[in-house]
Amino acid sequence: MALADARARLPQLIAEDLDEAADRHWLEQLAKGSIRYTPLVALDAADGLILDITGCTHLFGGEQGLAADIEARMARLRMTVRTAFASTAGAARALARYQALPAKDEASAIRRLPVVALELDPEATQGLIRAGLKTVGDLAKLPMSTIAARFGGEAATALRHLLGEAQRPIRPLIPIAPVVAERRFAEPVARTEYALEVLGELTAEVARQMEERGEGGRRFEASFFRSDGLIRPLAVETGQPTRDCAMVIRLMNERIEGLSDPIDPGFGFDLIRLSVPVVETLAVTQLRLEGGAVKEAEVAALIDRLSTRLGRNRIRRLAAQDTHIPEQMQLELPAVETSRPVADWPEAVPGEPPLRPLHLFDPPQPIEVMAGVPDGPPHRFRWRRKLHDIKRFEGPERIASEWWKRRDGAIDKPGLTRDYYRVEDVRGRRFWVFRHGLFGEKPKPQWYLHGLFA
Amino acid sequence: MRESIDHLVMLKRNLASIAGGKLLSGDHRIATGHAALDEVLGGGFGRGRLHELFAETGDDAGSVTGFATMLALRAVGRRSPIFWLRTDESERLGGRLHGPGLIELGGDPDSLVVGVAPDTKALLKAAADAARCPGLSALIVECHGQCPALDLTASRRLALAAEQSGVTLFLLRLEAQPVPSAADTRWMVAAAPSQPLEAGAPGRPMFEIELLRRRAGPAGMRWRLEWNRDRLIFCDPALSGAVVPLSPSRSAPSPAGLRLSA
């Protein structure tokens, strides 16, 4: 039906534009909320959720109880849902979307589905209907080889999926964590302090589990399930694998303190779960008498705490890169990540003064330069509105661009070359300046200040 | 009257014993290698103490950070971790810390951890935490601007934490004027012309430092220091052969000009 027809029939109709991003976001929210039923929840197209409820139904009093719980919760959110149960994900999906009348069992319900439920392309569906095959059952009576020959291999595969003869795995929204502990409450818990106390007990529980496995966690994720379906996630990371409860709790507290909006229990939490998605081998260690390991552990703990409070990208380590372009020579990586690139740092030449600055501006700062001869060293320059008279200089150190890394690069048309000068002004400040481009390459090259020496 | 003066002296002595903390022996000091400087400081910079370094002008920022890096290297050696805390503003105004440049000063970039706080308040909180961590040996905190949050209480907190954990803390104050603080020593650092190499090339890093204040002794002296990267030591440029002209305004202070620490 076109919108104009609908408006003609119902003048007070409200029309909204389709917002796919918002719909997807909402579906993801619902999917996260459905983790209360099963850890395996997958998104299905634009408007469906697939839940793998194997072994989960007894908690809700069977399949009917679970469906009733879902419907009640969704009704509270003003959502209309259609639920269906089947032995395979594909069959359940088809039943939820295409079933018109109830049937006595799963097999007959599937056989009664219209052929649209196979979700083939429109021409193939049209072909099936023209051949007089109205339902899946009609099609299933034919031998598979005939179906494949007449209607294509896809039709045969789709039928096998529906009948449960072939399995199609679902992709869960949240991969299952190797170590999980959770606590369900008969009555929702409305006090945050108590919820945090329970989190402490769960931490001890996962620590015990990890000790049995000889592992330590690198990432800890706590989820507070509110009774109105919202979930408050809380995650902390550590630089070294750990199962030290006190430290994890401290990091969690650090994260809670840093939250812009505090944890709001609303009508209360009815489930608290702590999972450890990233684990690494951690053997039982003995403290060293000289205390070296203790010192390293203390520094690692400090890095974890500050990374948790300020954000993991704010506590960094430097890693070398194999290039000669100065600003690309180092990467700044989060210090909680222990993996590092393999490149080695360059070595200093004994007896030479520092040839590279301690501080590097990225991007370089443009300066106004007066030079004696066009291609010569600078005489004086203006940086941040201050004039610096150059007394000593060394250079140029010529650094060519890496033309082989440029998309349109070729050896006959390289990028601009930089001529670097180490200069010292009359007061003794040492700078690293460069001219971007030789005079042959560019009519009026720009000068930049790239770094500050000690 | 006489009695009250006696009381005053006794009170002062009591206060000094409370505020001064433990006296440091020779092995608890970081010798710079510059003989005159070490003699005045009684062996060098105190370990587990707060040292404040001011930049003479905004353009001396590179010298102050370089000087602090060198002191930290003197304190911990090449391989021990150095923690460097700064703010977004220092990243913007002073540029990023450059690993190859640290190597050129004698350090190892793999042992450097850089923390960048969004503002001064977060910086001070992180600094207090880091100063309490006994696993660290040297901590460099870079503050930009006058920082009203960094008052006497905040610096006292940092100094106490450093004293308890044994972390040597260098507090860099860029574009700031000295205010009362609990620092063990306070310095004004400026760049100085280096001794030229062949063809007039700039030489090794050279600094002019002034001791502004010291908890336990006179202050007001000036020195020139040159950094020797290969030996990881400061030296006196006058002893290494060159003549350093001192301008009249920068002459060595007379004894009357010495200021006693307050």
Side-chain angles (χ1 to χ4, degrees):
Chain A
M1 189 188 295
L3 181 61
D5 292 341
R7 281 217 168 113
R9 289 189 195 180
L10 197 66
Q12 64 269 38
L13 182 77
I14 300 166
E16 293 264 0
D17 283 342
L18 177 67
D19 184 350
E20 283 181 12
D23 281 356
R24 166 132 193 127
H25 180 71
W26 176 236
L27 189 66
E28 276 174 14
Q29 290 288 323
L30 290 181
K32 283 179 193 158
S34 304
I35 290 171
R36 63 172 55 248
Y37 302 114
T38 164
L40 288 170
V41 180
L43 297 184
D44 174 41
D47 53 359
L49 293 178
I50 298 178
L51 276 61
D52 186 345
I53 52 160
T54 313
C56 301
T57 50
H58 66 277
L59 297 168
F60 301 90
E63 288 175 3
Q64 294 317 313
L66 192 129
D69 191 273
I70 290 178
E71 271 160 22
R73 275 181 196 280
M74 291 294 175
R76 238 180 283 155
L77 297 170
R78 301 208 187 158
M79 302 292 295
T80 317
V81 289
R82 288 172 63 117
T83 54
F85 297 90
S87 46
T88 64
R93 188 172 169 279
L95 286 175
R97 286 176 186 276
Y98 300 101
Q99 191 181 24
L101 296 164
K104 66 178 192 319
D105 61 359
E106 187 186 321
S108 58
I110 287 171
R111 275 162 197 279
R112 271 206 214 165
L113 288 175
V115 284
V116 192
L118 292 170
E119 297 198 334
L120 303 170
D121 52 65
E123 287 114 57
T125 315
Q126 198 62 38
L128 288 172
I129 293 170
R130 282 215 192 107
L133 302 167
K134 295 247 163 45
T135 64
V136 175
D138 295 343
L139 193 62
K141 279 181 202 144
L142 301 177
M144 278 294 171
S145 55
T146 318
I147 298 170
R150 280 192 64 185
F151 307 106
E154 281 168 28
T157 317
L159 183 64
R160 282 162 59 85
H161 281 309
L162 267 195
L163 297 176
E165 291 170 16
Q167 285 274 10
R168 188 186 293 168
I170 60 168
R171 210 182 59 156
L173 189 69
I174 299 161
I176 306 170
V179 179
V180 181
E182 62 181 31
R183 190 71 48 88
R184 282 167 196 272
F185 304 106
E187 289 282 322
V189 174
R191 273 180 60 227
T192 315
E193 294 82 11
Y194 181 66
L196 294 179
E197 212 169 282
V198 170
L199 186 65
E201 291 167 19
L202 291 175
T203 313
E205 211 168 294
V206 294
R208 250 193 325 276
Q209 284 184 37
M210 285 190 289
E211 197 168 1
E212 281 166 15
R213 298 161 62 116
E215 285 172 336
R218 285 282 307 276
R219 193 180 156 84
F220 296 81
E221 290 179 355
S223 315
F224 296 89
F225 290 72
R226 263 164 55 163
S227 52
D228 56 356
L230 277 183
I231 305 178
R232 189 62 197 247
L234 207 63
V236 295
E237 268 182 294
T238 62
Q240 305 288 330
T242 184
R243 46 179 182 251
D244 179 355
C245 299
M247 200 178 89
V248 176
I249 297 276
R250 215 166 37 234
L251 289 178
M252 285 281 181
N253 284 333
E254 196 78 62
R255 175 50 48 87
I256 290 165
E257 266 174 44
L259 290 176
S260 49
D261 49 335
I263 295 183
D264 175 19
F267 299 108
F269 301 116
D270 51 9
L271 168 62
I272 298 175
R273 172 179 297 163
L274 179 69
S275 56
V276 190
V278 185
V279 291
E280 277 176 18
T281 312
L282 175 66
V284 181
T285 48
Q286 181 166 5
L287 290 182
R288 261 194 272 164
L289 281 178
E290 64 269 30
V294 176
K295 268 197 162 183
E296 275 168 31
E298 276 165 355
V299 176
L302 174 70
I303 290 173
D304 291 345
R305 279 181 73 188
L306 293 183
S307 301
T308 307
R309 188 189 315 152
L310 300 175
R312 71 199 296 272
N313 291 327
R314 285 188 170 272
I315 309 293
R316 309 163 185 161
R317 274 184 197 278
L318 309 181
Q321 284 280 91
D322 197 7
T323 170
H324 58 258
I325 302 292
E327 66 269 23
Q328 294 169 6
M329 271 172 102
Q330 72 175 24
L331 281 180
E332 295 190 13
L333 299 178
V336 285
E337 282 174 15
T338 43
S339 60
R340 290 208 203 140
V342 283
D344 285 329
W345 291 102
E347 300 241 333
V349 187
E352 287 278 334
L355 301 176
R356 289 286 180 271
L358 181 62
H359 294 271
L360 197 77
F361 290 102
D362 187 19
Q365 308 221 326
I367 48 173
E368 289 169 35
V369 167
M370 287 170 69
V373 282
D375 232 351
H379 262 315
R380 132 183 337 163
F381 68 90
R382 188 187 290 278
W383 176 52
R384 288 183 181 160
R385 288 182 284 173
K386 272 191 208 143
L387 213 54
H388 296 270
D389 282 309
I390 293 169
K391 200 170 169 202
R392 305 184 204 290
F393 74 92
E394 188 184 51
E397 181 186 350
R398 190 158 289 178
I399 298 184
S401 74
E402 295 181 320
W403 56 266
W404 57 92
K405 282 190 181 165
R406 289 155 59 113
R407 203 154 22 126
D408 56 343
I411 194 155
D412 54 332
K413 49 169 188 178
L416 294 176
T417 310
R418 301 177 187 175
D419 267 356
Y420 277 92
Y421 289 89
R422 229 157 45 77
V423 301
E424 184 179 299
D425 73 358
V426 283
R427 300 256 338 252
R429 291 103 173 211
R430 287 159 285 271
F431 305 94
W432 210 33
V433 299
F434 71 90
R435 192 183 57 237
H436 198 216
L438 307 174
F439 269 82
E441 292 174 347
K442 209 179 170 192
K444 209 172 168 218
Q446 170 69 46
W447 283 84
Y448 293 93
L449 187 139
H450 206 174
L452 304 175
F453 288 99
Chain B
M1 187 66 195
R2 177 82 224 159
E3 222 168 65
S4 66
I5 288 174
D6 279 347
H7 274 298
L8 217 60
V9 168
M10 205 173 71
L11 271 174
K12 270 189 178 165
R13 205 172 290 154
N14 274 348
L15 271 177
S17 70
I18 295 164
K22 291 169 285 183
L23 281 176
L24 292 175
S25 62
D27 16 317
H28 286 101
R29 291 194 171 270
I30 305 157
T32 58
H34 186 287
L37 174 60
D38 285 346
E39 198 190 320
V40 168
L41 292 179
F45 284 72
R47 265 182 213 277
R49 293 286 187 270
L50 172 64
H51 303 284
E52 252 184 325
L53 308 173
F54 283 82
E56 194 165 288
T57 62
D59 293 332
D60 289 310
S63 298
V64 178
T65 52
F67 185 60
T69 314
M70 294 159 193
L71 283 176
L73 287 172
R74 289 286 308 159
V76 304
R78 252 175 243 268
R79 301 273 165 220
S80 294
I82 297 178
F83 216 86
W84 193 310
L85 287 167
R86 54 202 321 224
T87 57
D88 283 333
E89 200 186 3
S90 12
E91 290 267 287
R92 190 168 55 80
L93 293 174
R96 288 162 176 255
L97 290 172
H98 192 49
L102 182 62
I103 296 172
E104 296 281 359
L105 297 182
D108 176 18
D110 286 338
S111 58
L112 178 73
V113 181
V114 187
V116 184
D119 51 30
T120 318
K121 209 177 141 205
L123 177 82
L124 289 177
K125 202 168 168 225
D129 275 355
R132 258 182 238 117
C133 173
L136 283 181
S137 315
L139 170 65
I140 299 176
V141 181
E142 194 178 335
C143 283
H144 227 279
Q146 197 56 48
C147 298
L150 186 52
D151 53 4
L152 187 59
T153 323
S155 70
R156 182 101 191 111
R157 195 174 292 142
L158 286 178
L160 278 176
E163 215 163 290
Q164 274 165 12
S165 62
V167 177
T168 314
L169 206 163
F170 300 101
L171 186 61
L172 313 185
R173 307 291 312 271
L174 308 175
E175 313 248 342
Q177 290 302 313
V179 288
S181 77
D184 195 45
T185 55
R186 183 185 296 156
W187 301 84
M188 183 71 87
V189 182
S194 61
Q195 294 183 22
L197 307 173
E198 299 119 55
R204 288 174 181 159
M206 181 93 80
F207 307 101
E208 176 139 341
I209 59 168
E210 184 183 354
L211 180 57
L212 294 179
R213 184 181 168 274
R214 202 175 140 210
R215 279 191 91 83
M221 295 77 106
R222 280 172 173 275
W223 293 273
R224 269 201 182 184
L225 277 74
E226 192 185 52
W227 175 247
N228 184 331
R229 186 253 331 275
D230 302 321
R231 287 171 56 214
L232 227 58
I233 203 167
F234 286 102
C235 44
D236 194 340
L239 292 178
S240 57
V243 184
V244 183
L246 280 174
S247 63
S249 64
R250 295 193 167 194
S251 58
S254 60
L258 292 182
R259 275 167 292 187
L260 276 160
S261 69

